Amino acid sequence: MTGTMTFSELECGRGQRIGIAAIDNPSSLNALTLEMLRQLSARLAEWEKDDQIVCVFLHSDHAKAFCAGGDVRAIYKAMVEAESHKEAGEAGASPESFLTEYFSVEYRCDYQIHQFKKPLIAWGEGIVMGGGIGLYIGAGHRVVTPSSMLAMPEISIGLYPDVGGTWFLNQLPAGVGLFLGLTGARVNASDALDLKMADHILLAEHKSAVLEALQAIDWQSVPDADQAVSDCLREFAESAKRDWPPSQMIPYFPQIQAASVGRNLEEICQQIMAIDGLGTWLETAKSNLKHGSPVSAHICYRQLKGYRDLTLADCFRLELGLSVRCGLLGEFQEGVRARLIDKSGEPTWLFSAVSAVDESVIDDLFAPMWQASEHPLADLGAESMS
């Protein structure tokens, strides 16, 4: 895969500039390769230190997708190759080392965005899923367009809602984060605004005008740069109201919240499947849960029930071990094979149902992989304590 990040800067006058970062991997709906994540992380670090950069605009030039997630095909290929080298007694990266490197770089980049000290606008047009939400959700100014569709669909490929999902899904109204994680349900622009997963709905055709308006701000005179950006975006948002899509999730909101409360995961899954209603949106959500990985469902349930009080940095540390162990378990690899490589659509999960999952398997997935001081993300959060 030959995806890349493209970077440019727009002049604002008085030597000040706007940093523009574009995700450019259209053949796979802007899936994030390891190199793309490295490029973005490095440039964000440069721009944050550059006093002449007043804000950053993260987007894609390809309207179909902001970013559909991490490059799981490349992860699958690397895991298969690493295993074949290991079986043949040949030198090469182990599956564990590749998974650790990929997810460490990805989560570090996501954390950078959450902690970025300048206004960062994420223009989430089109598909914003999985790893794409990881880049999007932590931005200070999150824009969707009427075509936007947000989701954490990892249950379908044997992973779980990572990229900080342990943290941001727990920030949603009670029960909603669990429902989204268990069903991979898509959230449209109107629902994203209501759930506070987005800050503004703007028209796609206004992107150039928004950039011009940001250039026109007298950045040296504004007392609050973030407020100046918010005011700018709000001016464009008014004209988009007539194009807001009808809510898909909010009509089911009380039922979703009620269904997401239960004595255990099996009961909650039964209650979600029993939500009364017609329409493609709800039926797709139920189907995703029914055919998704039972192991993924258990991970999602535990991460949202047992770790809701973790700091953001600790969530990423938890998820790194989880993601590496998921890759080594084989469930993730099987899900990617069936859904994206062979496209049979019928993965052979380790367990036949949520009720059949051995809890000790889930215990092992959550067990720490490293001593705290040796964790690859040990330094996350250190800046807040210094």
Side-chain angles (χ1 to χ4, degrees):
M1 195 170 287
T2 56
T4 188
M5 294 292 305
T6 59
F7 302 104
S8 58
E9 295 176 0
L10 293 178
E11 297 290 338
C12 298
R14 304 191 193 185
Q16 295 180 312
R17 307 181 309 281
I18 297 171
I20 309 292
I23 307 168
D24 189 13
N25 195 2
S27 65
S28 63
L29 298 176
N30 289 332
L32 296 164
T33 66
L34 180 58
E35 185 55 32
M36 290 167 70
L37 289 161
R38 286 197 184 109
Q39 291 168 0
L40 179 58
S41 182
R43 186 56 65 99
L44 287 175
E46 289 177 19
W47 280 339
E48 192 167 34
K49 294 175 185 174
D50 187 340
D51 291 339
Q52 298 306 306
I53 295 292
V54 291
C55 69
V56 170
F57 191 89
L58 176 62
H59 75 122
S60 168
D61 287 320
H62 312 289
K64 193 171 182 179
F66 169 77
C67 173
D71 185 8
V72 292
R73 286 184 178 86
I75 296 172
Y76 174 85
K77 182 180 178 183
M79 286 191 292
V80 170
E81 288 179 352
E83 286 177 0
S84 65
H85 288 313
K86 185 177 179 180
E87 289 171 1
E90 299 170 350
S94 68
E96 181 178 329
S97 64
F98 177 81
L99 291 163
T100 300
E101 180 180 24
Y102 182 91
F103 288 115
S104 292
V105 172
E106 182 177 26
Y107 299 168
R108 191 173 291 279
C109 187
D110 295 337
Y111 187 77
Q112 272 182 283
I113 290 172
H114 277 273
Q115 302 296 315
F116 204 69
K117 294 181 175 61
K118 296 177 180 179
L120 195 157
I121 303 109
W123 187 273
E125 181 177 359
I127 294 170
V128 188
M129 294 186 183
I133 287 203
L135 298 182
Y136 172 85
I137 203 74
H141 304 271
R142 301 165 301 183
V143 174
V144 287
T145 70
S147 72
S148 295
M149 204 61 68
L150 284 63
M152 293 299 288
E154 290 80 4
I155 193 167
S156 295
I157 57 168
L159 196 56
Y160 67 97
D162 65 329
V163 295
T166 310
W167 186 83
F168 67 75
L169 290 178
N170 267 318
Q171 306 303 307
L172 298 176
V176 172
L178 180 59
F179 175 85
L180 293 179
L182 290 175
T183 66
R186 295 188 172 195
V187 176
N188 72 13
S190 297
D191 290 331
L193 198 64
D194 282 333
L195 293 174
K196 295 182 171 55
M197 295 177 73
D199 302 304
H200 307 278
I201 302 176
L202 272 60
L203 297 178
E205 56 265 34
H206 284 166
K207 180 159 58 170
S208 294
V210 167
L211 287 169
E212 290 172 4
L214 290 170
Q215 283 179 278
I217 293 173
D218 184 355
W219 292 97
Q220 287 190 341
S221 300
V222 295
D224 185 331
D226 275 300
Q227 187 61 52
V229 170
S230 293
D231 292 344
C232 175
L233 296 174
R234 200 173 293 115
E235 288 183 20
F236 288 91
E238 190 64 33
S239 61
K241 284 186 176 180
R242 65 182 182 276
D243 293 299
W244 285 14
S247 293
Q248 293 175 304
M249 182 181 205
I250 298 304
Y252 296 105
F253 201 74
Q255 291 169 275
I256 286 170
Q257 288 195 297
S260 299
V261 177
R263 291 168 296 179
N264 51 49
L265 175 59
E266 187 178 359
E267 183 175 85
I268 288 171
C269 289
Q270 290 171 352
Q271 290 169 174
I272 289 174
M273 296 302 294
I275 292 175
D276 188 28
L278 300 173
T280 303
W281 181 84
L282 183 60
E283 290 307 312
T284 300
K286 290 181 179 181
S287 178
N288 291 343
L289 173 57
K290 181 179 179 180
H291 299 291
S293 161
V295 168
S296 296
H298 273 269
I299 296 171
C300 179
Y301 178 74
R302 191 174 296 192
Q303 72 181 128
L304 293 187
K305 293 293 185 180
Y307 297 92
R308 62 183 62 183
D309 295 325
L310 289 189
T311 65
L312 178 62
D314 283 336
C315 285
F316 280 118
R317 281 188 278 268
L318 171 73
E319 290 175 7
L320 180 58
L322 266 174
S323 296
V324 174
R325 289 194 187 279
C326 279
L328 299 177
L329 181 67
E331 190 87 332
F332 176 33
Q333 188 170 326
E334 170 62 11
V336 175
R337 179 204 64 76
R339 306 287 193 199
L340 301 175
I341 306 299
D342 299 341
K343 298 184 178 178
S344 67
E346 297 180 359
T348 303
W349 301 125
L350 291 171
F351 299 95
S352 60
V354 164
S355 59
V357 173
D358 182 347
E359 286 283 353
S360 68
V361 172
I362 310 303
D363 293 340
D364 290 344
L365 291 173
F366 277 85
M369 284 196 72
W370 305 275
Q371 295 292 330
S373 61
E374 297 171 355
H375 196 291
L377 301 178
D379 60 312
L380 293 193
E383 70 284 345
S384 63
M385 295 183 283
S386 58

